[in-house]
Every structure is written in structure tokens, then in C-alpha cells.
Amino acid sequence: MPKLPIFRLRNTEPPSRRDLQYYGLTLAFTDLKLGVDNLRYDVFLSPRITADLSFHLARYICHFGEVESLFQMDIPPAIQTKFISVGSATKLRKPGPADLKTLLVSIHLAILNRAKAEGNPSVDVLGRLAVLKFIRAELQAQFARILEQCRMKSKSLEGVRQTKMMQTQALVSSFQVRKKIIIRRAGQEMFRLLREIEKETLARTRRSLLGELPADCYRLFLNPLILTEDGRDDYLCAELYYMFGNFDKDPDRFPNLRQFALNFMRELGYGEGIDDEHLEQALNVPENAAMLVGAGNGEDLTPEDRNRKDRLDIWTRLLQREGVLSHVVASYEAVPLLAEYAPRVNPQQLKNALIFREEAERVEKIIAEGRLHSDRLFAAIGRVASCRGSERSRFAARLLHDLCCYHRDLRGLEALTAGFDSVNLVSDDKVRQLSSLNGMLYEFLPPEDQKPAEDRVLHHVILKADVRDSSRLTRSLMEKGMNAASYFSLNFYDPVNKLLAKYGATKVFLEGDAIIVALLEREGEAMLSVGRTCVLAWEIVNLLREYNELLERSGLPPMEVGLGIAYQDSPPLYLMDGEHRIMISDAINDSDRLSSCSKQVRKKIGPDAGVFQVYSVQIGGRSNRGDKGSNKNDSPNPEAGPETEEMRLNYNVGGICLSEAAFLKLRQEISLYSCAANSGEPGFAGLLSGPWIDDQREFFVGIVPIANGVFRKIAIRKNRIAQVDVRDLSILHWTDRWYYEVCANPAVYAALPGEKSASAQS
């Protein structure tokens, strides 16, 4: 019995229509001052940075242009005075790629610091535009300079070395012809480094200094086309997108394919009542292509898969009707051949050879002249000719996705180009002076390039590290016949001193069993003094914790400290004692109170302290600030003045207490986000509970940039000060005053949202 044919009933209902996403690419500035021409923004980049960038760009062009050998040849004496050898400069300096990366990080961090100082993210965008504009212009300028030097080199050999001169002329001619390829490859290297520093350093630093910003603007700087002349490069398009046709007769030119895509969306019912300019914004979203036609992989599992297949059939038939589908298949099949046949064969010529017999014959002759094998060419011609059905649909789906990616990046390049036109890179000293005097100039200089006159102290932070029960500790050591001075020096003073240079801190003086250091905040520097002081304090506590483990294993008594951080919104004053300067600052007094610890309060709170190491209470009774006979660790140190009857007592054992002024300054320096008690790892909510924890307490987390690519997470606990009974220190009520602790216990960081261990702080 013959088999009956099985027919699949096709869905006659029109495919369901899902909403498209629309995305317009624009670049706008806010609160920036126009320059001296009232049309553009004046920008001055560090001359040292730009000079070094020019050197690296010249080195890239020589390398990819394969003319390095020219600069290693001997030059006749008559020409030496006119010829500047890039190769000789390379021999003298020999910087590697890491040097260039360091330069890029340095200038971009200077831009971020200026944006932070002005509180305006548009300054960061302006600076990044200026750097890109300089690189784009310098690529062209360095190519022209090196070409001129190569011509001078070739001319110097006339009448001296005829054979060598002919070889040199051929090399120079090839260098000139391959200009677009050379600049593209140099630009790709620069783009790779720019993308790396954005991922490794700039994104986190920007988030730390400026908080979470819309990603749309910064996504423009990750565009692979930003260092191309016009975004139309066959090799780059073949590698990343689709190799569009270049000639008027080519049906797959970008404008044609863009119009086909718009017609396709209108055929599906999109864009009713709107013009092509608005509908084009849907082509800036590659996800739309995936939603409409999928990947063309033939999946038919769900109703949506079938709808995508129906829409893909419509798109494939449209391309077939417009006579462009064979060019699409040939373009994708030509990409693997470029590595073998280009640049001897032009990419467009190679693509056309896969479609037209006459062009294939011409390409075959070129390949034969170059002594290359043509097997891969004929295999690709066969694949293009035999491409049918599902294979064509797969290429059609890939085209729509690549077209959307290229459309997005090309529109992004146009937005950046408009931004470049609004940037005036100032190089003339008179223009710079005029713009600077009128407050119109945006200077981006790393700290080492700034003038000494700008080294003016604006604010300062004081950190005091105070040893607990130092008298008892000294007696204990002496009873064992040990030297207390060497004990403190080796286990406290020396380790702390080694940390100071890392954070730019200076030691103010030693006060018996305490160290007092200062971080000065100067004009033109990154305003991160409080954040870095907090990290320095954390490192001191962590370092002493490690030293205590060693001391205990050696049978020596451990050391306990309390740290206080105070901020003053003004420079410190100094007294002169002969040749020695003595700092005078209210912040020193504040840090002394914050680092103190009352024995009475310690005895009461210690058993219930939990993972936190700083608490503060307030009791009644007149201040005994003038009692000179009392020990600072035994007697309460009042926060209020003698005119009040309230005094503040601290518990600070291995903790870091932050003044309110310092906390407010920290919120200006970095982005602090509030961490809810019910978030984080299991048990995090339990950490924030206890008899001495206020139910209105808050918990903040932020990231402090320390150096290039180095960050430190810090956690701040904000708690109300408890009013306690003077007789037994029991809590009467919570006051409306607050104290702040920089958490130093690893258990706190291990319980933060997304953290698994204390090592996540790093």
C-alpha cells in the first residue's frame, strides 16, 4: 500500500506582533561653561601625557606599517640634521604596552577627579571626548609625519645605494597605499587598551566617586568604530558586523539594507503613524532582531518560535525579491578568506568573485600571481551557489542582527563626532591663559603635572591610634624582664609607619602610647582624604590583629588599640619650635575623644559588644574635663563642653570611631549605599541586633579607590547615642545624637550582600 503524503497545516493567522524597543543615541552636557569662542568647550590636556601618547601612536604606525627597518638604516650626514628617527627614540626609551596603559589610566583618573571636584559627571564625559579627539587627530598626524620621514630616507639614498633605494621606494609606496589598514590596526590597539582600563579601573572608580550613572552615555565610548575615520572599513565590518557593498551598483550597501529593514518592520505592522527617522531607532537595539526573526536555527518548539520563523520567511523573501540575498551569503562566506587572500585581493573584489564568473577569473589570476592556492576560493564559490532553504534563512537572520549592531554603533559614532566638534583642544598659551583667567578652561592634569602653586591645603583629617591599658601592659612586660620600648616599637610604631606612605599620610607626633597622623587634602588632588583615612585605619587594625596572633603564640601579651578619625574643613595651623613645626588643629582634640575608651563603659558593654567594637553613651553629671589627675582611659572624656551637664563616654576596643563631620565628608567623597538589615548573607540581620544597637541604626557600604585598579570596601554603622543611668549605666532612652563606626571586624564584611568571606573587602 503506497504511503500517504503527510501535509503540515500552516497557520493562516498573521504572526503575533510584539513591541519593539526604541533607542536614540545622543550626547548632551549640563552645567559646562563655553570657551573663549562661545561655541566650544576649551580643554587642556597634560602636555606630558599627550607627548607620550604621540610617541606610542608613532610606534604603532611604524610597527603595523612595517617601516621600522627604515629607521634602523644608516643616514648620510647631509640628511641627519633633518631626519628625526622614531626608531632611535624607541631604542632610548623602549616602553612596553603597560606604559601606554598607565598613561591612559593616569589621564582618565585626572578627568574623573576633576569631575568629582566639580560634582558634575559631564566634566568626565567632556574629558573622555577630548582624549579620543586627540588620539583620532594624532593618528592621522603621526602617519603623515612618518610618511614624510620615510620619503626623506628614500631620497637620502639617491645616487648612493641604487638597489637599496628601489627597495625603500617600494616599501614607502606600500606604506602610503595601506594607510587605512595601518591606521585601523593602530586604532584597534588603542581601543583595546581603552576598553581594558574601562573594565578594570574606570568603571569602578567612576561608580565610587560619582555613584551610579546612566550607562547609555558611557556605552558610546565602548564603540569599536570610535577610532575609525567614518565607520566604513571593510575589514572591521567583516570582522564585527557585515561587509557592506561600497559601489553604487551593489544592492547590499548600508543605506539599501537599512531601508529594506525599515520596509520589513512596516510590513509586519510596525511604525504606523511615525516616520522612518523614528522607526530607525528600533534598529539601534539588536535585541529587536532576535525577537523578530531569532537566529534562523530551525527551532519549532513553541508558538513564538513558529511566529519568529514566519517573520524570518517574510524577511528572507524580501531580500530575495530585492536581489540582495546572494550578496549576503557571499559576504559572510568571504570573511574566512580574507586572512589568506587579503590585502593582495580587495575584500569587495573577493566577495564579488563568489557571485560573478568574470570577477572570479580575475581574482584567480591575482591569486596565481601571488603563488597562493585557490582551493578555498572555489570551495566558497560552490557553497554560495548551493546555498538554499534553511541556510539562506540562517544568513538572513544573521544579517538583521549584524545590521542592527552596526546601525547602533554608526549612530553612536555620529553622536561622538558631534561631541568632538564641541571640544576645543587648546594648544596656544595665550588662549589657555585667557580661558583660564575667565574660568572657562577645563584642565586635566595628573597630580604630578600640576603647578606647585596649586599645592595649597584645603582640608585635613586626623587619625589617632591609642593603645589600651598601656600602663598595665608596660608593667606586665617589665615583670617578665622584657623591654617595653622595643615591644611597642616592633609591634606598633614600626608597622604603622610603613603604612603611612601608601596613603600619603604624615605623622604629626607620638603621644606616649599613641600615634597621631594627618592626611592633607590639597587643591587639585582627588578629594578622598576621609575615605583613605578609613582604609588606613582598617589596615592598622587588621595588621595589629595579625601581630597579636604572633605575640600570643610567642607567649607575649597582645595589644589593643582604639582609633578615632576627625575631619576639619580648613587647613591646620602650625607653631614653630625652633626648626620643628607643631600642628594645631581642633581635629586632634576630636580624634583624642573618639579614640578614648572608658573602663566603666567597657566593663558594662564588653560582654554584649558582639561583632562591633565602638559604642557611645551619654550620662548626666557635670564634666570633669579639668581633672588632671585622672587617666584618660579611666575617666570619661566628655564630647560636650564644660557648660553642659551631659558627657559622652566611649567604648572603643580595636574599633574605629568616625566623627560626624568626617562621615558627612565621606558621603561627598564616595557613593555610600544603605544596606538593609534583611539583606546580605544569613545572619546579617542578627549582626545588627543587640542591647546596645538602636532600632533606628543605619548601615552603609562604599568602595574607596586606593590606587590604579586597587579598591577597598568599607562598611559604616550609624547608631544613636544612648542616655544611660549614671548609677548602673542602664539605658534610659535613645538621644537624637549619633555616633559612627568604621567596621573592622571581618565577620561584618563576610555577611554583606554578595560576600562570602572577609577577603571580599579587597
Side-chain angles (χ1 to χ4, degrees):
M1 181 177 180
K3 295 182 179 179
L4 296 176
I6 299 176
F7 298 97
R8 177 180 176 180
L9 298 178
R10 184 178 179 84
N11 186 7
T12 57
E13 297 182 1
S16 61
R17 192 176 73 179
R18 299 177 62 182
D19 292 337
L20 294 176
Q21 301 179 52
Y22 296 88
Y23 179 41
L25 291 90
T26 58
L27 193 63
F29 302 109
T30 56
D31 300 328
L32 294 182
K33 296 180 180 179
L34 288 172
V36 293
D37 61 2
N38 293 316
L39 297 173
R40 299 174 296 172
Y41 303 102
D42 293 341
V43 176
F44 182 77
L45 300 175
S46 165
R48 178 183 63 84
I49 297 290
T50 54
D52 287 349
L53 284 176
S54 298
F55 170 79
H56 283 282
L57 292 174
R59 193 164 57 90
Y60 275 143
I61 290 173
C62 285
H63 174 69
F64 293 120
E66 300 176 352
V67 294
E68 292 171 316
S69 59
L70 289 180
F71 297 98
Q72 298 172 358
M73 295 169 55
D74 295 333
I75 305 173
I79 305 296
Q80 284 182 358
T81 56
K82 299 180 182 180
F83 189 74
I84 303 173
S85 175
V86 177
S88 62
T90 305
K91 290 180 182 179
L92 292 175
R93 297 178 54 173
K94 291 187 179 179
D99 294 327
L100 176 56
K101 194 172 182 179
T102 301
L103 285 173
L104 293 172
V105 170
S106 177
I107 187 62
H108 282 91
L109 289 182
I111 293 169
L112 273 171
N113 291 333
R114 176 69 185 264
K116 174 63 180 178
E118 298 199 9
N120 186 358
S122 290
V123 175
D124 181 42
V125 177
L126 177 66
R128 298 190 68 163
L129 273 176
V131 173
L132 282 174
K133 181 174 182 177
F134 173 81
I135 293 174
R136 283 167 58 94
E138 197 63 18
L139 280 170
Q140 301 289 335
Q142 288 297 333
F143 183 90
R145 292 190 190 103
I146 293 172
L147 177 60
E148 181 61 26
Q149 291 178 1
C150 290
R151 287 171 174 168
M152 292 173 61
K153 180 68 175 180
S154 178
K155 187 177 181 181
S156 69
L157 299 175
E158 291 182 358
V160 181
R161 305 171 186 172
Q162 193 68 20
T163 304
K164 197 67 176 178
M165 183 193 70
M166 295 178 63
Q167 294 175 352
T168 302
Q169 287 177 344
L171 187 60
V172 174
S173 176
S174 173
F175 178 77
Q176 185 175 5
V177 169
R178 295 188 301 118
K179 174 183 178 181
K180 196 168 185 179
I181 296 175
I182 295 167
I183 291 180
R184 170 179 58 81
R185 295 184 66 184
Q188 282 182 308
E189 282 297 310
M190 291 297 297
F191 175 73
R192 179 182 63 81
L193 290 175
L194 289 170
R195 185 173 55 187
E196 283 183 9
I197 66 171
E198 169 68 19
K199 180 180 179 180
E200 296 171 0
T201 303
L202 299 185
R204 296 180 67 186
T205 305
R206 182 170 60 248
R207 189 161 53 248
S208 174
L209 298 181
L210 304 176
E212 291 291 344
L213 298 173
D216 293 346
C217 177
Y218 289 97
R219 197 176 291 125
L220 294 176
F221 296 107
L222 301 178
N223 184 345
L225 302 178
I226 56 176
L227 293 178
T228 62
E229 188 172 352
D230 55 6
R232 292 174 173 84
D233 184 280
D234 288 338
Y235 293 95
L236 195 62
C237 287
E239 179 183 354
L240 301 177
Y241 311 101
Y242 170 84
M243 188 167 61
F244 300 94
N246 286 341
F247 304 104
D248 291 340
K249 64 178 182 179
D250 293 335
D252 63 337
R253 291 185 302 119
F254 171 70
N256 293 345
L257 293 180
R258 178 184 58 194
Q259 189 59 51
F260 296 157
L262 295 177
N263 295 342
F264 167 63
M265 289 189 289
R266 290 193 182 279
E267 188 172 342
L268 295 180
Y270 296 103
E272 297 178 359
I274 61 175
D275 54 16
D276 283 358
E277 184 177 355
H278 183 269
L279 187 59
E280 267 189 26
Q281 294 184 3
L283 296 180
N284 294 331
V285 186
E287 290 78 8
N288 286 337
M291 182 270 293
L292 288 175
V293 300
N297 52 15
E299 290 187 359
D300 194 9
L301 303 177
T302 66
E304 182 54 33
D305 288 337
R306 290 189 286 274
N307 289 334
R308 275 195 291 264
K309 188 176 184 303
D310 291 340
R311 291 190 289 262
L312 178 57
D313 290 342
I314 296 174
W315 170 240
T316 306
R317 289 197 301 271
L318 186 152
L319 295 177
Q320 182 70 33
R321 186 170 63 248
E322 298 292 345
V324 73
L325 192 55
S326 59
H327 289 76
V328 172
V329 177
S331 180
Y332 284 121
E333 290 289 355
V335 172
L337 306 179
L338 294 178
E340 183 174 355
Y341 299 131
R344 177 175 291 274
V345 182
N346 182 276
Q348 294 293 332
Q349 190 178 18
L350 189 60
K351 180 176 73 172
N352 289 329
L354 304 184
I355 308 173
F356 306 109
R357 182 184 298 274
E358 299 83 1
E359 197 65 45
E361 293 175 355
R362 282 193 288 267
V363 170
E364 185 181 1
K365 290 180 181 179
I366 297 174
I367 291 175
E369 292 173 359
R371 298 181 180 180
L372 300 174
H373 296 289
S374 56
D375 297 347
R376 294 186 63 191
L377 173 68
F378 291 126
I381 292 174
R383 288 195 298 272
V384 173
S386 61
C387 186
R388 295 287 186 277
S390 60
E391 278 295 306
R392 288 198 170 194
S393 297
R394 183 172 60 83
F395 283 122
R398 181 179 173 185
L399 171 67
L400 187 60
H401 179 269
D402 290 344
L403 178 65
C404 289
C405 290
Y406 181 76
H407 191 280
R408 175 199 61 197
D409 290 345
L410 186 63
R411 291 292 177 260
L413 177 62
E414 293 171 356
L416 287 174
T417 302
F420 295 147
D421 294 337
S422 66
V423 176
N424 177 29
L425 289 174
V426 176
S427 57
D428 185 80
D429 289 338
K430 291 184 178 179
V431 175
R432 179 190 179 191
Q433 184 178 10
L434 177 62
S435 182
S436 180
L437 287 175
N438 289 279
M440 302 172 176
L441 184 65
Y442 292 93
E443 281 190 315
F444 301 116
L445 306 173
E448 59 269 24
D449 293 346
Q450 294 174 6
K451 299 177 182 178
E454 297 173 347
D455 193 23
R456 183 168 64 92
V457 176
L458 301 178
H459 324 284
H460 69 285
V461 184
I462 297 294
L463 167 65
K464 180 174 182 180
D466 194 2
V467 178
R468 299 278 85 93
D469 294 332
S470 58
S471 299
R472 178 190 57 79
L473 188 58
T474 301
R475 288 194 302 270
S476 174
L477 291 169
M478 293 178 65
E479 290 172 357
K480 296 180 179 181
M482 297 180 179
N483 190 310
S486 62
Y487 172 86
F488 284 111
S489 178
L490 294 175
N491 301 299
F492 182 48
Y493 299 128
D494 291 348
V496 172
N497 286 337
K498 292 178 182 179
L499 291 174
L500 301 186
K502 178 180 177 181
Y503 296 93
T506 57
K507 186 165 56 180
V508 178
F509 48 80
L510 298 178
E511 189 186 67
D513 53 0
I515 293 180
I516 300 177
V517 300
L519 272 79
L520 306 180
E521 199 167 81
R522 294 178 171 86
E523 186 176 13
E525 293 181 348
M527 301 300 181
L528 294 168
S529 57
V530 175
R532 295 191 176 189
T533 306
C534 290
V535 178
L536 171 59
W538 184 92
E539 288 216 27
I540 290 174
V541 173
N542 187 62
L543 184 66
L544 291 178
R545 185 184 297 115
E546 295 175 356
Y547 268 79
N548 282 337
E549 293 177 359
L550 295 175
L551 290 172
E552 290 179 355
R553 287 201 295 267
S554 302
L556 294 174
M559 188 183 307
E560 291 179 342
V561 295
L563 290 88
I565 299 175
Y567 167 76
Q568 187 168 322
D569 189 17
S570 63
L573 301 176
Y574 294 93
L575 287 178
M576 295 301 297
D577 180 12
E579 296 181 355
H580 300 284
R581 295 192 308 175
I582 301 176
M583 181 184 290
I584 300 175
S585 170
D586 289 338
I588 295 177
N589 299 328
D590 292 340
S591 66
D592 177 66
R593 290 191 288 269
L594 295 169
S595 64
S596 65
C597 182
S598 168
K599 283 188 176 181
Q600 182 183 5
V601 175
R602 178 174 182 176
K603 184 177 180 181
K604 176 69 175 179
I605 296 180
D608 301 318
V611 296
F612 300 114
Q613 295 155 299
V614 172
Y615 295 93
S616 188
V617 299
Q618 182 175 286
I619 65 173
R622 185 167 297 277
S623 169
N624 58 354
R625 182 190 296 266
D627 185 3
K628 297 181 180 179
S630 59
N631 184 290
K632 64 179 177 175
N633 287 335
D634 295 341
S635 65
N637 289 301
E639 181 76 8
E643 69 277 6
T644 69
E645 294 189 356
E646 296 175 346
M647 59 182 173
R648 177 172 162 181
L649 304 179
N650 290 333
Y651 171 91
N652 189 337
V653 180
I656 307 166
C657 192
L658 196 66
S659 71
E660 183 172 13
F663 174 75
L664 296 177
K665 176 64 163 56
L666 181 64
R667 299 198 75 169
Q668 297 174 7
E669 293 179 354
I670 64 174
S671 177
L672 286 176
Y673 64 89
S674 180
C675 191
N678 56 359
S679 64
E681 300 300 326
F684 181 64
L687 293 179
L688 296 181
S689 60
W692 296 96
I693 304 294
D694 172 27
D695 58 358
Q696 295 186 23
R697 78 281 179 273
E698 294 182 78
F699 203 78
F700 301 91
V701 178
I703 298 177
V704 179
I706 304 303
N708 295 347
V710 180
F711 302 84
R712 177 73 71 184
K713 180 176 288 186
I714 59 172
I716 310 292
R717 180 176 64 93
K718 176 183 177 182
N719 204 88
R720 286 193 295 178
I721 298 175
Q723 179 79 34
V724 298
D725 192 315
V726 68
R727 294 167 297 182
D728 58 1
L729 298 184
S730 59
I731 298 177
L732 299 177
H733 63 87
W734 296 100
T735 69
D736 56 357
R737 300 171 62 190
W738 302 85
Y739 67 91
Y740 306 86
E741 177 188 4
V742 180
C743 297
N745 194 322
V748 175
Y749 293 92
L752 290 177
E755 305 292 343
K756 297 296 182 184
S757 67
S759 63
Q761 265 201 100
S762 301

